Amino acid sequence: MDPGIAVPPKGYGGHERLVYMFARQYQKLGHKVDLLVSPGSAVEGCVVYSFGQDGFPPKKWNALKAIPQAWLFLWKHRNNYDMIHNFGRLLFLLPVLNHKVNKIMTYGREIDSSNIRKIVKLPHKNLVFTAPSDDCVSTGSVAGKWVTVYNAIDFSKYTPSYSVEPDAPLIFLSRLDRVKGCHIAIEVAKSTNNKLIIAGNISTIPSEFEYFKNEIEPHIDGEQIIYVGTVNDEEKNFYLRQSKAMLFPIDIREAFGMVMAESMACGTPVIGFGCGAVPEVIENEISGYVVPTKEEMVGALAKIEQIDRKGCAKRARERFDVSVITEKYLKLVSYV
């Protein structure tokens, strides 16, 4: 894991949450788990080794200094493990690249394919690359062995609601950047006379902050358009389960979209634009609808009650629960 955010994270930290969940699940299955992670990390039952510096985003010099620290650790312990699962830099694996230990290199965003070409030209063995969607895999699978393994959530943390009132709100849950499409969610809510709960952090990047001030904030009235700020896991569960649908009008190639799975875990279907992994995460007419335009999002919302919320949550659990995804990773040990 790249240093910078502790495991488990207290706030932001998607991969750090995954590392924590998988570590705990591996333990439940009887495996011994060591973690090489940021200072301040603590995972019950695991041996935690710290490297690098805490603080996100990491300073460039601190990030560079962490590389030889990771190299030293992996070389020293190269014969201690059956599997090394790397959620950090590909470069971390260099000392053990041609060692017999099984290695999984997991990506969570669009991949620099030039790095893949370079690494597989070197002598290597027992190495497999994974990414959380077929779309994301396609950005890096220029060489080497690749497998799609979806991201996971812990379904035990979510309480599904199998029915909501007709006047239940919609929800938009994401960072309030233009590419996430909050302005479109507001337009859909207003055109269909629905309430909209907006949850997410406001960016400090000047252009994105201006977007919020000019295109989002003027619509927040506390009655139809309600902004609840950033939310923790408990609050997220509360708002998701009371909503009739999540709107996901994204305009970028999202590698997975964890909030979609979280919404489904609460029984709340998702209506999303068909960018990136969205068509893979949403199963049409089971867990929501994939649409190309705002107008078709409005049309899908008109038939959202046709989605069986219990079936939505059940199917999402079958696909994305941490127990399911952990088994997929363990099976890769024999694949490599």
Side-chain angles (χ1 to χ4, degrees):
M1 188 71 248
D2 287 334
I5 300 174
V7 176
K10 294 180 175 62
Y12 174 83
H15 261 187
E16 288 76 14
R17 279 187 174 81
L18 290 173
V19 168
Y20 175 75
M21 284 191 296
F22 292 139
R24 297 292 288 151
Q25 190 65 26
Y26 287 145
Q27 285 181 309
K28 289 180 183 178
L29 297 172
H31 299 284
K32 179 181 179 292
V33 181
D34 291 355
L35 296 172
L36 182 63
V37 287
S38 187
S41 300
V43 179
E44 183 181 355
C46 296
V47 179
V48 175
Y49 297 90
S50 297
F51 82 124
Q53 297 290 322
D54 196 18
F56 186 84
K59 295 179 180 178
K60 184 176 181 179
W61 177 237
N62 288 337
L64 290 173
K65 285 194 298 183
I67 296 171
Q69 292 174 349
W71 286 348
L72 181 62
F73 177 89
L74 289 177
W75 181 251
K76 181 180 178 181
H77 297 274
R78 64 190 182 280
N79 295 315
N80 295 357
Y81 304 117
D82 297 315
M83 180 177 77
I84 295 172
H85 194 168
N86 183 21
F87 285 83
R89 289 187 174 208
L90 175 58
L91 195 58
F92 289 164
L93 293 177
L94 193 59
V96 293
L97 198 60
N98 203 36
H99 190 268
K100 64 181 181 179
V101 63
N102 297 297
K103 296 167 284 288
I104 300 174
M105 177 65 222
T106 291
Y107 288 93
R109 58 176 63 94
E110 192 168 340
I111 300 153
D112 185 346
S113 59
S114 65
N115 288 339
I116 307 300
R117 288 192 178 95
K118 291 172 185 175
I119 207 77
V120 298
K121 285 182 179 179
L122 299 174
H124 66 280
K125 62 182 64 168
N126 299 339
L127 172 66
V128 63
F129 300 93
T130 74
S133 63
D134 292 342
D135 184 75
C136 191
V137 164
S138 72
T139 68
S141 56
V142 293
K145 296 178 181 178
W146 283 84
V147 177
T148 297
V149 182
Y150 293 136
N151 280 342
I153 62 172
D154 182 354
F155 274 67
S156 68
K157 291 187 175 182
Y158 299 88
T159 307
S161 174
Y162 298 141
S163 64
V164 294
E165 296 299 323
D167 62 348
L170 306 171
I171 188 166
F172 174 90
L173 174 58
S174 192
R175 196 173 65 247
L176 299 182
D177 292 352
R178 177 178 292 279
V179 294
K180 299 290 188 175
C182 185
H183 59 290
I184 296 174
I186 291 172
E187 291 172 9
V188 170
K190 287 192 169 186
S191 68
T192 57
N193 198 31
N194 277 288
K195 289 184 178 180
L196 175 69
I197 295 170
I198 299 171
N201 60 302
I202 301 167
S203 177
T204 57
I205 297 173
S207 60
E208 298 295 356
F209 184 72
E210 183 179 352
Y211 161 72
F212 172 79
K213 297 297 288 185
N214 293 340
E215 299 185 49
I216 305 300
E217 190 175 52
H219 298 282
I220 298 171
D221 57 13
E223 295 181 4
Q224 183 178 16
I225 311 298
I226 305 162
Y227 177 55
V228 297
T230 56
V231 290
N232 59 30
D233 289 343
E234 186 177 287
E235 293 167 329
K236 191 184 297 182
N237 185 39
F238 171 78
Y239 288 117
L240 284 172
R241 69 187 305 271
Q242 68 170 282
S243 301
K244 71 169 69 173
M246 169 179 280
L247 302 184
F248 200 71
I250 198 162
D251 192 30
I252 54 171
R253 290 179 72 174
E254 188 80 86
F256 182 76
M258 200 80 77
V259 295
M260 290 190 287
E262 292 172 330
S263 181
M264 296 169 192
C266 294
T268 301
V270 183
I271 307 174
F273 287 171
C275 297
V278 173
E280 297 175 58
V281 179
I282 299 174
E283 294 181 294
N284 266 316
E285 300 182 359
I286 298 174
S287 56
Y289 300 99
V290 181
V291 297
T293 65
K294 179 182 68 176
E295 290 72 25
E296 293 199 38
M297 182 168 280
V298 169
L301 188 55
K303 56 182 181 179
I304 201 65
E305 292 181 1
Q306 297 177 22
I307 300 292
D308 174 24
R309 291 176 67 97
K310 186 174 184 178
C312 171
K314 179 178 182 293
R315 180 60 179 150
R317 180 186 285 270
E318 292 170 350
R319 301 179 72 208
F320 307 128
D321 185 59
V322 62
S323 62
V324 174
I325 304 304
T326 300
E327 289 290 349
K328 290 183 181 294
Y329 277 125
L330 289 174
K331 287 178 180 178
L332 290 182
V333 173
S334 58
Y335 176 82
V336 297

